[in-house]
Amino acid sequence: MANHPIPPDETRWDSFDLLTERNRTILRGILEKVSVDDPQRTPIDQKIGDFYASCMDEAAIDKLGAAPLQPDLDRINALSSKPGIADLIAPLHLHGVNALFNFSSGPDFKNSMLVIGQADQGGLGLPDRDYYFKDDAKSVELRKQYVEHVQKMLELLGEPAGKAGSDAQAVMKFETGLAKGSLELVARRDPSQTYHKLTVHELFSLCPVIDWPKYFQGLGTPAFTDLNIAVPNFFRTVESMLVQTSLDDIKTYLRWQLIHSEAALLSKPFVDENFHFFREILAGAKEIQPRWKRCVTAVDNDLGFALGRKYAEVAFGPEQKARTLKMVEEIEIAMKSDIQTLSWMSPVTKEQALLKLRAVTNKIGYPDHWRDYSSVKIVRGDMVGDDERATEFETHRVLNKIGKPTDRGEWLMTPPAVDAYYDPTQNNINFPAGILQPPFYDKSIDDAVNYGAIGSVAGHELTHGFDDEGRQFDPEGNLRDWWTAEDAKEFEKRAECFVQEYSKFEPVDNVHLNGKLTLGENTADNGGVRLAFMALMESLNGKPRPKIDGLTPEQRFFLGWGQIWCQNIRPETSRMLVQVDPHSPGRNRVNAVVSNMPEFQRAYACRIGQPMVAAPACRVW
Ligand SMILES: [Zn+2]
């Protein structure tokens, strides 16, 4: 930790960030090469190259100020009645503006092979609804700073200070209203609380002030008769907020959300003020990231599978794919034996669990089919236009899936992502090429370390299929209870042990970790490390076990796990993550897991009563 101080432009510095930085440097190399204006470039190179060039051309961007937003600003200013809102929200949503609510598509939880429309809460500027209500001194201060930030942004748009000040108050009032109708993060982890399949007519009656047919027409969605209204009460809230708020204040709120959404693409004053609140105050960064970093991220956000395709070509080969797949399969075998030998689960539920395990599919590296961006027009020198067209393409792509079968080959992360995920509605685990690199996976190092690192990540994702959330979905990815009541009770009893254990941690002064918010991730960590350890033991069976650097394979396994979570983090970021991140901080991820494991205690000869021996030791899987 002493050797890895947080760079001034970063808010956290750990193995994930170091690898992200390395991947970003590879992407920069790719983008610098293809951003040279050359008519011989392939169409894909033209798009990612010119997008990057548009983003890097700071002088041109600075000259324009907020002018690129004028068409959207004009539309907002022209709003003359509340029924006109539908016509206005649709184009804003197509441009990715977080106005009022969120409308997207996703698998029907109870019929996961079908994609349906998904209407959900949204429309807030702060990271989570709780930020609007917490009354500790830090939270109160933060809300004051947020209002100041909104005011400054409106001033940058040309409002006089006095008017911008009262407008910022109006924005705060409006967002607080929306936050009141929003569901808490912990409640959102329960799929039944965000699944309400209703007819479109029910949406009309929850929120009649929005002309929904007009809105859907504006978005260009396929026709549909029912959809998931994730949080019905939120749409009642949108209705009451729109009815009780003056047209002028609604317009102010929409102007703010527009400028907030596009700030990073505008001239320096907007970029700096946006950085000041969201990275400096909220997350503790000391400096803004250099432009190239921000521009690489922008291309990854907007044209991620075009850039990611090139990344996969240079950074990921069939050998890495084969070795990862082999390890994942070994971990799946470990889970099979874990389930078979569990003491607390009845044979009936075990049979169902094994069926689900057998149905898990593994996706490694990058998609089999690449996204076709040929219809996206990227114009060198038109930063905001490029972003709007790419975002519009993506929004249409997502909405066009409504009424169609789920595409299980699709990826939710781009190939350079240093991350992985389990998708409960598809029952698959996904490992982007970006994480299958040192120190997570290093072909030059012994298996023990690799199993402790990437093996534990694989075990983690697999265990998500069986955590408090994932266990509610069946082998086909449908929300269906396959547990006996007795076994479910046994599961919950064991999960509660984790809730208690992790709630004791205090990552920032006087702020405790939320054991309920982090339960799924903690369950996945504990199960994942155990499964990876079992797989390693199985693979070493009958083989020589030389010590390396004086350490046994068991010891090196746990070092592998510890090393991926080495972490320096700014207190501001830590404070934010405790509130919104379902993952525990690195230190707790490591220490809690190993203190629950007799295998660790044997490897390092720990004795009862020592800090790395939890009492009680928690275990689900
Ligand atoms: Zn996870």
Side-chain angles (χ1 to χ4, degrees):
M1 288 169 78
N3 286 334
H4 293 83
I6 309 173
D9 63 329
E10 296 291 335
T11 59
R12 194 191 66 178
W13 205 235
D14 62 18
S15 302
F16 287 75
D17 301 306
L18 286 166
L19 180 51
T20 299
E21 187 81 342
R22 203 158 67 224
N23 288 344
R24 203 154 39 195
T25 306
I26 295 174
L27 299 176
R28 181 191 193 179
I30 294 169
L31 288 168
E32 282 183 349
K33 213 183 287 169
V34 298
S35 63
V36 179
D37 196 359
D38 171 3
Q40 301 298 312
R41 287 177 298 174
T42 66
I44 281 190
D45 288 356
Q46 180 274 322
K47 286 185 207 301
I48 58 175
D50 284 349
F51 190 107
Y52 185 69
S54 297
C55 183
M56 288 300 289
D57 192 351
E58 212 168 349
I61 289 171
D62 283 347
K63 225 182 284 165
L64 290 171
L69 298 188
Q70 207 50 51
D72 276 338
L73 286 169
D74 288 346
R75 258 195 288 261
I76 295 171
N77 291 337
L79 182 68
S80 58
S81 72
K82 291 182 185 176
I85 287 173
D87 274 335
L88 182 56
I89 299 293
L92 290 178
H93 280 179
L94 284 175
H95 290 166
V97 178
N98 181 18
L100 293 174
F101 59 88
N102 186 287
F103 185 74
S104 181
S105 76
D108 181 343
F109 280 6
K110 296 206 170 167
N111 176 21
S112 67
M113 281 314 294
L114 180 72
V115 178
I116 56 173
Q118 308 269 357
D120 205 343
Q121 65 194 41
L124 305 181
L126 286 167
D128 176 52
R129 53 132 11 238
D130 287 354
Y131 274 82
Y132 293 84
F133 309 113
K134 288 181 71 171
D135 52 12
D136 58 285
K138 278 269 179 203
S139 303
V140 173
E141 168 73 6
L142 201 62
R143 280 198 291 277
K144 208 181 119 235
Q145 291 166 315
Y146 177 60
V147 173
E148 284 164 11
H149 167 66
V150 175
Q151 173 177 347
K152 278 184 204 140
M153 294 293 274
L154 293 173
E155 283 177 32
L156 289 175
L157 265 189
E159 284 193 16
K163 167 135 175 52
S166 56
D167 277 354
Q169 295 291 349
V171 166
M172 190 59 177
K173 190 174 164 206
F174 192 81
E175 289 190 359
T176 305
L178 293 182
K180 255 183 211 138
S182 303
L183 197 60
E184 291 92 350
L185 279 177
V186 169
R188 289 185 64 88
R189 295 197 60 254
D190 176 359
S192 67
Q193 293 224 43
T194 57
Y195 182 73
H196 304 93
K197 197 172 169 188
L198 300 166
T199 66
V200 282
H201 292 285
E202 282 164 299
L203 182 62
F204 303 169
S205 62
L206 282 168
C207 185
V209 70
I210 290 178
D211 185 338
W212 292 96
K214 228 180 204 172
Y215 168 73
F216 294 132
Q217 197 185 8
L219 287 182
T221 65
F224 57 92
T225 51
D226 40 30
L227 78 163
N228 179 32
I229 303 173
V231 187
N233 187 44
F234 181 78
F235 287 88
R236 265 179 227 117
T237 305
V238 171
E239 171 73 14
S240 71
M241 287 309 295
L242 289 178
V243 167
Q244 68 186 243
T245 306
S246 73
L247 198 59
D248 270 350
D249 285 351
I250 293 171
K251 286 156 80 166
T252 300
Y253 162 78
L254 293 173
R255 261 200 325 274
W256 149 247
Q257 283 294 344
L258 171 67
I259 195 80
H260 170 49
S261 149
E262 307 292 317
L265 308 174
L266 299 177
S267 57
K268 192 165 184 311
F270 291 95
V271 170
D272 287 349
E273 177 54 32
N274 187 57
F275 163 79
H276 172 63
F277 183 76
F278 284 99
R279 291 274 295 179
E280 202 172 11
I281 293 180
L282 214 51
K286 305 290 178 219
E287 280 174 16
I288 194 162
Q289 286 184 326
R291 189 145 192 111
W292 73 265
K293 277 197 196 182
R294 288 177 273 142
C295 290
V296 167
T297 305
V299 184
D300 181 52
N301 283 340
D302 278 15
L303 301 167
F305 288 92
L307 177 58
R309 183 176 187 168
K310 313 231 10 146
Y311 169 82
E313 281 166 16
V314 297
F316 194 71
E319 184 233 19
Q320 273 153 297
K321 188 164 179 162
R323 281 189 62 169
T324 310
L325 193 60
K326 181 174 158 281
M327 187 185 291
V328 172
E329 283 166 357
E330 284 169 11
I331 286 161
E332 284 165 352
I333 292 169
M335 182 145 215
K336 184 177 169 196
S337 104
D338 178 51
I339 291 171
Q340 282 167 335
T341 54
L342 274 189
S343 61
W344 53 270
M345 190 184 259
S346 71
V348 198
T349 308
K350 276 185 183 175
E351 201 177 310
Q352 296 297 314
L354 290 169
L355 273 179
K356 176 160 182 178
L357 176 63
R358 218 171 303 147
V360 172
T361 50
N362 305 314
K363 283 154 64 187
I364 315 264
Y366 49 83
D368 291 338
H369 302 288
W370 290 102
R371 193 163 296 168
D372 176 9
Y373 291 100
S374 56
S375 64
V376 188
K377 198 168 147 211
I378 299 299
V379 181
R380 201 178 180 85
D382 184 13
M383 180 70 272
V384 171
D386 288 343
D387 171 68
E388 285 179 349
R389 284 184 295 272
T391 308
E392 202 165 320
F393 163 82
E394 173 62 11
T395 315
H396 281 309
R397 191 189 68 80
V398 167
L399 295 177
N400 279 333
K401 294 193 266 186
I402 293 174
K404 303 207 172 73
T406 306
D407 173 9
R408 293 193 166 185
E410 190 182 339
W411 285 65
L412 306 180
M413 286 175 183
T414 61
V418 184
D419 210 338
Y421 68 97
Y422 169 81
D423 187 332
T425 64
Q426 302 190 5
N427 196 24
N428 59 23
I429 49 183
N430 302 262
F431 293 96
I435 196 173
L436 302 171
Q437 320 277 338
F440 294 87
Y441 168 74
D442 188 344
K443 63 179 173 187
S444 69
I445 211 162
D446 52 308
D447 272 355
V449 178
N450 281 326
Y451 277 74
I454 196 69
S456 295
V457 175
H460 170 106
E461 300 310 338
L462 187 61
T463 309
H464 268 316
F466 303 86
D467 70 14
D468 59 316
E469 200 171 347
R471 77 175 188 88
Q472 301 186 51
F473 293 83
D474 72 8
E476 283 76 46
N478 291 318
L479 185 58
R480 176 177 69 79
D481 191 2
W482 46 270
W483 293 62
T484 67
E486 197 57 31
D487 289 332
K489 222 189 290 163
E490 287 296 320
F491 176 94
E492 276 157 18
K493 200 164 80 190
R494 282 164 174 76
E496 182 58 27
C497 182
F498 285 137
V499 174
Q500 299 299 328
E501 181 176 35
Y502 284 79
S503 295
K504 293 196 187 98
F505 297 127
E506 220 179 288
V508 216
D509 303 335
N510 303 318
V511 183
H512 282 256
L513 202 55
N514 184 338
K516 286 204 167 95
L517 177 64
T518 54
L519 174 59
E521 297 299 334
N522 298 335
T523 307
D525 276 348
N526 281 273
V529 176
R530 184 182 312 279
L531 296 178
F533 188 84
M534 289 168 72
L536 173 67
M537 291 302 110
E538 188 59 35
S539 81
L540 289 177
N541 211 355
K543 292 198 188 123
R545 304 159 56 102
K547 283 191 177 180
I548 300 177
D549 295 337
L551 297 166
T552 65
E554 286 85 347
Q555 290 171 330
R556 292 176 67 79
F557 171 89
F558 289 110
L559 276 184
W561 171 243
Q563 280 205 311
I564 62 170
W565 297 110
C566 287
Q567 185 172 81
N568 278 314
I569 187 162
R570 298 200 190 276
E572 293 87 347
T573 297
S574 200
R575 186 177 293 276
M576 175 167 64
L577 293 182
V578 167
Q579 209 161 314
V580 300
D581 190 354
H583 304 86
S584 300
R587 170 182 287 270
N588 306 125
R589 294 186 79 155
V590 175
N591 284 358
V593 167
V594 301
S595 70
N596 284 325
M597 290 182 73
E599 297 88 339
F600 173 81
Q601 289 138 24
R602 271 195 296 277
Y604 282 97
C606 307
R607 289 185 310 278
I608 293 173
Q610 290 185 318
M612 287 298 100
V613 184
C618 301
R619 175 173 177 186
V620 176
W621 301 104

